[in-house]
Amino acid sequence: MLQSGDFVGYSFWLISMALAAATIFFLMESLRMGGKWATSLTVSALVTFIAAFHYFYMREVWVSTGSTPTDFRYIDWLLTVPLLMIEFYLILAAIAKVSGGIFWRLLIGTLVMLVPGYMGEAGYMNVTLGFSIGMVGWAFILYEIFFGEASKVAASEAPPAVQKSYSLMKWTVTIGWSIYPLGYFFGYMAGGTDAGTLNIVYNLADVLNKIAFGLFIWYAANEDTSQKA
């Protein structure tokens, strides 16, 4: 049970409820809009559903032990982050013909970013090595969405609403995702940091990186379908 004054536990509970509500919203909007945007919105719902499910377990770990639920958080990321990256491919595929290379490059980039990071944080690999390889994966993703084929398709073929959503999504990956390597660095490489503060920051970051990310996609889908109604 949550204890009075356990603000970390409160944050786990609040974010889990927000993720559950977002799941229902994205599913309902997927059914309403249908067509070419149904897949993107369904994937957004999958992201928030998976995260909400994990948050219930992460909250239990925190309340029961007072320790950071590292394993559950990485299992969540290993499932949701590739889905988030696939969203770049899906929103472009909804408005233009795009190559499968975008899909595979972004997917591989996420695995290079996440797997070594987990291995370093869980003690299966040198912490600095895991961090360094993970940063290479993140840099690869940023290159693709800012300068690679995905960026070129968005700039040349996407309508204004999709371009705006694409821009918001890529800056979320840049700014919002920077919270995680910073937490990794200060938590494991710079002498450690307060676990409670770190978990609150991670939890709040997921509001931007999962819920808001999905809302950016919903905006593009809603604008596109409204114009054609």
Side-chain angles (χ1 to χ4, degrees):
M1 297 293 293
L2 285 174
Q3 300 297 316
S4 178
D6 183 1
F7 294 103
V8 181
Y10 294 165
S11 71
F12 276 113
W13 180 263
L14 289 171
I15 304 307
S16 64
M17 290 296 99
L19 288 163
T23 299
I24 296 172
F25 174 76
F26 292 137
L27 283 176
M28 296 300 292
E29 288 299 280
S30 173
L31 293 173
R32 179 178 72 87
M33 295 183 196
K36 61 187 181 182
W37 290 106
T39 303
S40 292
L41 291 169
T42 301
V43 170
S44 294
L46 284 174
V47 168
T48 53
F49 172 77
I50 292 169
F53 196 83
H54 281 83
Y55 260 83
F56 287 118
Y57 282 95
M58 289 193 287
R59 184 199 68 201
E60 185 175 347
V61 169
W62 175 264
V63 171
S64 301
T65 68
S67 60
T68 299
T70 301
D71 290 340
F72 281 118
R73 201 176 284 281
Y74 267 96
I75 293 170
D76 171 17
W77 289 343
L78 284 168
L79 294 170
T80 58
V81 172
L83 290 174
L84 290 170
M85 287 298 93
I86 290 169
E87 290 282 36
F88 282 99
Y89 171 81
L90 292 175
I91 68 165
L92 295 176
I95 51 88
K97 186 175 182 179
V98 294
S99 74
I102 296 174
F103 174 94
W104 289 110
R105 285 192 296 273
L106 291 174
L107 181 61
I108 291 169
T110 61
L111 296 177
V112 173
M113 178 180 67
L114 288 171
V115 174
Y118 170 72
M119 293 178 69
E121 199 163 341
Y124 299 115
M125 177 187 289
N126 176 270
V127 169
T128 303
L129 180 61
F131 178 81
S132 300
I133 298 174
M135 292 298 288
V136 170
W138 186 35
F140 181 81
I141 291 169
L142 292 177
Y143 177 83
E144 176 64 29
I145 61 179
F146 274 91
F147 307 108
E149 183 183 355
S151 177
K152 294 172 183 176
V153 172
S156 62
E157 301 188 47
V162 175
Q163 287 187 3
K164 183 175 182 180
S165 294
Y166 184 94
S167 179
L168 290 168
M169 289 163 65
K170 72 181 183 182
W171 283 109
T172 298
V173 172
T174 306
I175 300 172
W177 285 21
S178 68
I179 294 168
Y180 306 123
L182 286 172
Y184 187 108
F185 177 80
F186 287 110
Y188 294 92
M189 300 170 62
T193 188
D194 178 67
T197 301
L198 191 61
N199 275 284
I200 289 176
V201 172
Y202 277 173
N203 293 350
L204 293 176
D206 274 349
V207 175
L208 170 63
N209 297 326
K210 291 186 172 73
I211 298 175
F213 196 95
L215 288 174
F216 299 150
I217 296 165
W218 171 83
Y219 168 80
N222 191 59
E223 288 292 305
D224 185 63
T225 54
S226 297
Q227 290 173 4
K228 297 177 181 177

